[in-house]
Amino acid sequence: MGTHDFAAVRSVGTETKTTVRTVHWCEIEEKENTVELRVCADGFLYNMVRAIMGTVLYCSEGKIDPDDIPRLLEAGDRRMTGPTVPPQGLYLTRTWYGGAVGEMMKN
């Protein structure tokens, strides 16, 4: 959580002005044979959440030490984090907009 450069968990070759995002909260819950990841952020990079999930799974398999995640984010190298998991089960639950657009959507 927090404001970080998330280049390490985005699709390589995508163009954005910045890879810095703020993750407000992140929850991981294991239920029977599934793992649920819920993320709230000020924006997402292409495949960011899928790559975060792949990294979480690598941690659960002992392939990445969870304590190494800050160092991996700082390195910004996509090859050092977990795989991009398939999109099945991924969905957007809510969006928030600030300013005039956000005010109009409240009505």
Side-chain angles (χ1 to χ4, degrees):
M1 292 188 296
T3 301
H4 303 281
D5 184 338
F6 284 94
V9 287
R10 70 159 177 164
S11 286
V12 176
T14 58
E15 293 185 28
T16 59
K17 289 183 180 183
T18 179
T19 53
V20 175
R21 300 290 187 268
T22 300
V23 172
H24 301 289
W25 53 263
C26 181
E27 299 174 343
I28 303 167
E29 186 177 355
E30 187 174 1
K31 292 183 175 182
E32 297 178 18
N33 292 336
T34 64
V35 178
E36 291 184 6
L37 172 68
R38 291 177 294 281
V39 183
C40 176
D42 65 356
F44 295 97
L45 301 166
Y46 188 66
N47 287 335
M48 176 177 156
V49 174
R50 292 171 55 195
I52 290 172
M53 187 64 184
T55 303
V56 167
L57 293 174
Y58 263 25
C59 288
S60 73
E61 296 169 356
K63 296 177 180 177
I64 293 176
D65 186 327
D67 293 333
D68 288 338
I69 290 176
R71 181 184 57 79
L72 297 176
L73 283 177
E74 190 174 304
D77 187 342
R78 180 67 186 96
R79 298 169 296 177
M80 296 174 67
T81 55
T84 301
V85 298
Q88 289 78 6
L90 176 68
Y91 60 95
L92 178 66
T93 58
R94 186 176 299 161
T95 57
W96 290 268
Y97 295 96
V101 172
E103 290 302 314
M104 287 187 308
M105 295 187 78
K106 287 181 182 179
N107 299 326

